[in-house]
């Protein structure tokens, strides 16, 4: 085998790594961006929903002995309920409050979830068996791991489904309408509270899937498991243009690619710095992010 | 019985009282105009009727139902549509999607299609541009869309807030002609306008709002000939 074949094989493998990592970021980023679009708030507790999803998986599979598919569904349902409950209790009363108050509340909710996990499960990380039992696939000389394969396929399905849902159902259009103008949406008969709840529900269910996928590769879950992927996904959402659904998808995938290629070819230590560097450069050139639109100010 | 009856309505923004206890009514089939200077409280009144702004005191009754106890999103399905000030169409949706949003609470597909035909008949321009992103429409087209969107709910009463704002004179005449058509087809109209001359010429009755109070009311024709109204609102 020639040297450049080895290099390109290695490069392809890194690309697949990056795509699957990026898929996870994208799934999380969707929750950030949808909630931002509709409520104009940064839900910093979103990352911790991933952690809850991962714990649920470990409980469902390890303690309840559920099969993986059921465990994933249970984890999605629990996170969806959690997301809706958080919105209802913590954010809804602040609908007309200052953005700073909402931000601080979101950070509070984040600490609350982490501390609750600490109380219930303790500080030591728990080993989680992978929910994905798919053997790797051989494409010529390239091996694609089962985890990466499932992550990629599931993400494609979920993103296609979400895009279809937003653009082709009246509930989806109502979400767009509410994110643009709550008053006008109400005049059309849209129940704004229910639409916002639906947004949290979808975002949190996607976060649960991301949590399951993340933990299936990583293998351990602890109370702070959600923090790092949460921040990365937030960066992805901003990179893609916060409030833009395709932006979150693009931002997530790009971030994953940049991160894994930097780790492979530049430096493991510098990878995160490079990720944030790219964000800064993009924001300098295009402050609204890659696919973000400048919103027309309403008076 | 009046279709819409507002009694002793008081509205505050914080400590500032914008509407100071006004009463008016709109009967089935009428065109009723609400005129008044900038800041008189016209928009506030309409917003309070459709639930976007809460009232402090008074009552709003529509078809015998107390609107003060009805959440904003339930009002359109009761037969009341509102073309808000500044159009407020959904900029990022297409023309067609905006019209679909107008029929959000309706379920009967055949009836919705019928309303769509009717809207396209009033505004052929909207049909030509149905796939266009609404934010890229011209101001006049956006106004057509705002009215069309409201008609998509098949309202028994339509509230219009300055439908002529920012339109060229020719367009203003067109919009007013359409409002008359809509009314002839059986929809009651409550309209707020700066263009008092124009609106009084199509209205049956009118109320003059002055800093939160109704200072005059009556037959539109009579108001048009009233010296005080002429001086203050018709620029004569
Ligand atoms: N959201 C708000 N907060 C505080 N004050 C408000 C608000 N909206 C309106 N006002 C005030 O209430 C008063 C009535 O405003 P409103 O918009 O109802 O007037 P209007 O008669 O529709 O005027 P225009 O012809 O200029 O549209 C004004 O003094 C305005 O400054
Ligand atoms: Mg006004």
């Amino acid at each position: 085998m020639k040297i450049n074949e080895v290099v390109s094989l290695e490069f392809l493998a890194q690309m697949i790594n990056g795509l699957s990592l990026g898929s996870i970021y994208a799934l999380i980023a969707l929750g950030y961006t949808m909630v931002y679009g509709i409520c104009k708030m940064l839900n910093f507790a979103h990352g911790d929903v991933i952690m809850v999803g991962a714990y649920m998986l470990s409980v469902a599979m390890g303690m309840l002995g559920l099969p993986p598919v059921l465990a994933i569904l249970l984890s999605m349902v629990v996170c969806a309920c959690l997301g809706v409950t958080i919105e209802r209790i913590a954010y809804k009363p602040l609908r007309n409050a200052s953005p700073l108050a909402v931000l601080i509340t979101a950070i509070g909710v984040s600490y609350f979830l982490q501390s609750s996990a600490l109380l219930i499960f303790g500080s030591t990380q728990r080993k989680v068996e992978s929910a994905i039992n798919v053997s790797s696939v051989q494409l010529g000389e390239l091996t694609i791991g089962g985890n990466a394969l499932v992550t990629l396929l599931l993400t494609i399905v979920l993103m296609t489904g979400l895009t279809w849902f937003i653009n082709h159902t009246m509930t989806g259009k109502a979400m767009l309408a509410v994110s643009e103008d709550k008053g006008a949406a109400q005049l059309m008969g849209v129940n704004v509270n229910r639409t916002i709840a639906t947004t949290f529900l979808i975002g949190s269910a996607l976060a649960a899937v991301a949590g399951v996928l993340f933990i299936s590769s990583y293998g351990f879950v602890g109370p702070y498991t959600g923090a790092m992927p949460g921040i990365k996904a937030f960066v992805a959402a901003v990179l893609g243009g916060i409030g833009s659904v395709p932006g979150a998808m693009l931002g997530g995938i790009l971030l994953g690619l940049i991160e894994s290629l930097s780790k492979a070819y530049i430096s493991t230590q510098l990878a995160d710095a490079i990720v944030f560097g790219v964000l800064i450069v993009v924001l300098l050139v295009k402050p609204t992010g890659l696919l973000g639109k400048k919103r027309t100010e309403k008076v | 019985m009046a279709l819409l009856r507002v009694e002793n309505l008081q509205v505050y923004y914080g400590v500032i009282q914008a509407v100071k206890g006004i009463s008016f009514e709109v009967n089935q089939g009428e065109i009723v105009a609400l005129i008044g200077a900038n800041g008189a409280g016209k928009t506030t009144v309409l917003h309070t009727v459709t639930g976007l702004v809460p009232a402090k005191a008074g009552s709003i009754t529509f078809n015998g139902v107390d609107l003060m106890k009805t959440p904003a999103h339930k009002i359109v399905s009761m037969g009341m549509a509102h073309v808000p000030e500044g159009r407020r169409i959904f900029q990022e949706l297409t023309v067609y999607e905006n019209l679909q949003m107008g029929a959000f609470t309706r379920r009967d597909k055949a009836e919705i299609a019928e309303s769509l035909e009717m809207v396209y008949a009033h505004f052929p321009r909207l049909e030509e541009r149905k796939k266009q992103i609404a934010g890229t429409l011209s101001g006049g087209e956006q106004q057509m869309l705002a009215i069309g969107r409201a008609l998509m709910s098949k309202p028994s009463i339509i509230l219009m807030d300055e439908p002529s704002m920012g339109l060229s004179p020719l367009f203003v005449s067109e919009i007013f002609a359409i409002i008359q058509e809509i009314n002839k087809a059986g929809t009651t109209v409550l309209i707020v306008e700066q263009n008092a001359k124009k609106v009084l010429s199509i209205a049956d009755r009118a109320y003059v709002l002055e800093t939160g109070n109704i200072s005059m009311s009556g037959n539109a024709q009579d108001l048009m000939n009233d010296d005080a109204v002429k001086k203050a609102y018709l620029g004569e």
Side-chain angles (χ1 to χ4, degrees), chain B residues 212-231:
Chain B
N213 288 302
I214 287 179
S215 60
M216 259 185 285
S217 66
N219 197 298
Q221 207 63 43
D222 297 343
L223 284 175
M224 231 185 325
N225 296 324
D226 184 281
D227 287 334
V229 174
K230 274 188 185 169
K231 218 169 145 210

Side-chain angles (χ1 to χ4, degrees), chain A residues 173 180-181 188-190, chain B residues 73 88 90-92 100 149:
Chain A
K173 283 176 199 182
E180 224 186 288
D181 187 336
M188 303 299 115
V190 175
Chain B
H73 69 270
R88 290 170 74 172
F90 301 113
Q91 309 262 335
E92 285 166 31
Q100 270 189 313
R149 185 180 68 174

Side-chain angles (χ1 to χ4, degrees), chain B residues 43 85 161-162:
Chain B
T43 299
E85 183 174 59
D161 200 337
E162 307 207 29

Side-chain angles (χ1 to χ4, degrees), chain A residues 109-158:
Chain A
V109 172
S110 167
Y111 281 135
F112 174 80
L113 292 178
Q114 293 177 358
S115 315
S116 304
L118 197 61
L119 260 178
I120 299 171
F121 299 105
S123 61
T124 43
Q125 299 216 334
R126 290 160 73 96
K127 181 147 177 48
V128 187
E129 69 179 290
S130 171
I132 303 170
N133 264 324
V134 177
S135 49
S136 53
V137 171
Q138 197 73 29
L139 275 182
E141 298 194 28
L142 184 69
T143 315
I144 303 175
N147 271 349
L149 198 66
V150 171
T151 301
L152 287 174
L153 289 180
L154 202 54
T155 303
I156 291 172
V157 169
L158 288 173

